[in-house]
Amino acid sequence: MRKQYTGPWRMAHRGISQAAPENTLEAFRAAYHGGIEGLEIDIRMTQDGVIVIHHDETLERLTCGSDHPCTRAVRDCTWAELEALELPYANHLMDNWKDEGMEEHEAVDVARQLGQDPDHPYEIERQKDPRVAKLMRLSDLFEWMEQLTRRVILEIEYKAPGMMPELCALLEGFSGRSDCIVFSGEPELIDEIQDYARHNRLPEGVKLGANIRRLTLEWKEKIPSMKLFEVGLNIEALEREDIEWLRGRGILVFSNLGDTPGGWQKICTRSLTGFKTNYTGPFNVWWDEWKE
């Protein structure tokens, strides 16, 4: 029997993308049933004001290979148009784990997804795996999460401006909002989130974060005036003194992607609260061995 997990929160980055296309319900289900503590998702807004779960500015990468690929920006489409799109499994599942680890550029084969890999043409790969997934609204994810039987932390990455009023309206109606962290990795969007929080009441329990990547002098000057539950740092920037500086101000520290044994060891020896990962299964194996 596997021992109870006691490590940092495992935040499944866009779900489990070896099981299904990223940021889809099937990818989130796989992560939940894999026992993760949290999900990391990306949000954008459609032309008609619907918040959808999608990383890229355009739809090209995830719809490539479908019968009706779309190269338009999310903001230029209505939800009715997005709802009709299909996201192929073929060429869109993340590569399997390698023993030495997987950096993000290795895990996500963009050329293959865009049909530029001559060894994996879509006309053949779609015959091998004809499955398709669909895009989700944030409200759809909340509806699914309302049915879950255990707590799941939700990191919501804010990918485009102008969404805070609608996002807060959705969060207000979600019973799990106290486990939601709204954050961004873009300075101008971090500023937008913080400015909204200064002038508006956030839904009770909702938390804010900032993926600053490195704790620079500029961030040290700025952070004391910010409302922050967590800060994200890159693996190579996990300096002990920076972690302690943030903790001394009551801010939890999370790590960005670092799916290598060396990265995981740094995350665990520095006792971070959580980390984003594309490979929860291999991490679990590594964790069991490391704890022994």
Side-chain angles (χ1 to χ4, degrees), residues 108-174:
V108 180
D109 193 332
V110 175
R112 185 184 302 173
Q113 291 182 342
L114 291 175
Q116 298 167 355
D117 183 348
D119 293 329
H120 297 275
Y122 270 110
E123 56 267 26
I124 294 176
E125 298 300 328
R126 287 292 306 274
Q127 291 177 18
K128 295 178 184 176
D129 189 349
R131 294 176 296 168
V132 295
K134 304 289 281 187
L135 290 165
M136 292 184 75
R137 296 171 296 188
L138 182 60
S139 60
D140 297 326
L141 180 67
F142 286 169
E143 183 178 347
W144 172 70
M145 291 183 69
E146 293 282 11
Q147 304 169 33
L148 302 181
T149 57
R150 64 175 176 83
R151 177 191 186 198
V152 173
I153 309 298
L154 186 63
E155 281 192 317
I156 304 172
E157 182 162 4
Y158 195 84
K159 299 294 289 186
M163 296 187 289
M164 284 301 291
E166 177 62 16
L167 174 58
C168 287
L170 291 172
L171 286 165
E172 193 70 63
F174 177 43

Side-chain angles (χ1 to χ4, degrees), residues 34-245:
I36 50 82
E37 287 70 47
L39 297 168
E40 189 267 0
I41 69 170
D42 308 282
I43 60 168
R44 292 184 178 274
M45 182 175 276
T46 65
Q47 187 181 67
D48 53 344
V50 177
I51 294 181
V52 296
I53 303 175
H54 187 71
H55 178 272
D56 297 1
E57 182 177 357
T58 74
L59 297 146
E60 179 178 14
R61 180 170 62 88
L62 288 194
T63 64
C64 192
S66 70
D67 293 336
H68 301 285
C70 178
T71 61
R72 296 162 63 193
V74 172
R75 66 175 178 271
D76 295 332
C77 300
T78 65
W79 168 244
E81 291 171 318
L82 297 190
E83 188 178 24
L85 297 176
E86 294 184 336
L87 314 182
Y89 275 61
N91 283 348
H92 288 277
L93 301 186
M94 192 167 283
D95 283 345
N96 291 326
W97 172 257
K98 297 187 298 189
D99 289 341
E100 65 270 25
M102 297 287 283
E103 300 293 348
E104 186 174 15
H105 71 276
E106 297 176 306
V108 180
D109 193 332
V110 175
R112 185 184 302 173
Q113 291 182 342
L114 291 175
Q116 298 167 355
D117 183 348
D119 293 329
H120 297 275
Y122 270 110
E123 56 267 26
I124 294 176
E125 298 300 328
R126 287 292 306 274
Q127 291 177 18
K128 295 178 184 176
D129 189 349
R131 294 176 296 168
V132 295
K134 304 289 281 187
L135 290 165
M136 292 184 75
R137 296 171 296 188
L138 182 60
S139 60
D140 297 326
L141 180 67
F142 286 169
E143 183 178 347
W144 172 70
M145 291 183 69
E146 293 282 11
Q147 304 169 33
L148 302 181
T149 57
R150 64 175 176 83
R151 177 191 186 198
V152 173
I153 309 298
L154 186 63
E155 281 192 317
I156 304 172
E157 182 162 4
Y158 195 84
K159 299 294 289 186
M163 296 187 289
M164 284 301 291
E166 177 62 16
L167 174 58
C168 287
L170 291 172
L171 286 165
E172 193 70 63
F174 177 43
S175 67
R177 61 182 176 273
S178 61
D179 288 325
C180 291
I181 307 165
V182 179
F183 79 102
S184 181
E186 300 297 328
E188 64 274 15
L189 295 180
I190 294 172
D191 288 346
E192 180 186 330
I193 293 167
Q194 290 291 320
D195 187 64
Y196 186 89
R198 290 187 193 99
H199 296 95
N200 300 272
R201 185 189 69 83
L202 294 177
E204 185 177 359
V206 171
K207 300 166 177 63
L208 302 181
N211 182 2
I212 65 173
R213 298 182 174 85
R214 295 178 181 276
L215 184 59
T216 62
L217 179 60
E218 182 181 358
W219 279 116
K220 281 188 173 183
E221 293 173 348
K222 195 171 184 177
I223 282 173
S225 65
M226 297 171 69
K227 182 177 182 178
L228 289 172
F229 172 77
E230 63 131 305
V231 154
L233 298 176
N234 288 350
I235 285 286
E236 64 274 14
L238 293 177
E239 302 295 338
R240 293 184 188 276
E241 62 183 72
D242 291 344
I243 295 170
E244 292 308 313
W245 188 92

Side-chain angles (χ1 to χ4, degrees), residues 2-16 28 30-41 150-155 253-257 259 264 267-268 272-288 291:
R2 191 164 185 267
K3 295 180 181 178
Q4 184 176 2
Y5 177 70
T6 57
W9 292 347
R10 298 160 293 186
M11 307 298 295
H13 183 240
R14 308 179 201 168
I16 299 294
F28 300 143
Y32 176 74
H33 292 300
I36 50 82
E37 287 70 47
L39 297 168
E40 189 267 0
I41 69 170
R150 64 175 176 83
R151 177 191 186 198
V152 173
I153 309 298
L154 186 63
E155 281 192 317
V253 182
F254 283 59
S255 170
N256 294 324
L257 290 169
D259 283 323
W264 291 338
I267 290 165
C268 294
L272 269 60
T273 299
F275 68 106
K276 298 176 181 65
T277 178
N278 287 320
Y279 291 96
T280 55
F283 170 80
N284 292 339
V285 173
W286 174 87
W287 168 265
D288 288 341
K291 290 299 289 183

